Amino acid sequence: MEKEARKKFNVVVVDDSDYARKHVIEILEQEGFNIAGQAASAEDALKISATTNCHLFIIDVVMPNVSGIELAKFLTEKKTQASIIMVSSLGLENVVIEAISNGAVDFLRQPDERQDRLNTVDKVASYMEAEKLIS
């Protein structure tokens, strides 16, 4: 995706770790992506999704109260147009399968390389742009 188009691509980062959330945001902002919101919980993410035109959620799998997978399932059932990338240090095959089965379009294992994260976000953004899912 062209850097100019990235400014119109709204990303929400959901992770209960302040450090992890800020790290992801820093990487994406440096590459020109628009951070439409950040949340430390599924509940906060749902509030953001209700009031913001989100194109992509980057969601940590392990969070207190409501897991990232449960959040992905809810967002998918809500028929949101947003895509979902799940992230976790749990790279277990069953966790990846469960994430994809509940609406995630991709999965990143943490810690990941900066370029891997950018490539994954770019791939999803480019697909959404080509399919005219970005307004």
Side-chain angles (χ1 to χ4, degrees), residues 14 42 59-63 66-73 84 86:
V14 185
I59 305 172
D60 183 32
V61 170
V62 179
M63 293 191 301
V66 178
S67 76
I69 291 176
E70 291 172 299
L71 174 59
K73 181 178 181 181
I84 300 166
M86 300 297 298

Side-chain angles (χ1 to χ4, degrees), residues 21-74:
R21 204 171 53 248
K22 289 175 184 177
H23 178 69
V24 172
I25 290 169
E26 180 182 317
I27 290 170
L28 296 177
E29 283 181 332
Q30 286 174 356
E31 294 299 320
F33 286 100
N34 182 51
I35 303 302
Q38 58 176 301
S41 68
E43 295 84 357
D44 291 344
L46 291 173
K47 290 175 189 171
I48 293 169
S49 74
T51 60
T52 306
N53 181 21
C54 309
H55 298 116
L56 174 65
F57 285 88
I58 298 176
I59 305 172
D60 183 32
V61 170
V62 179
M63 293 191 301
N65 301 325
V66 178
S67 76
I69 291 176
E70 291 172 299
L71 174 59
K73 181 178 181 181
F74 182 81

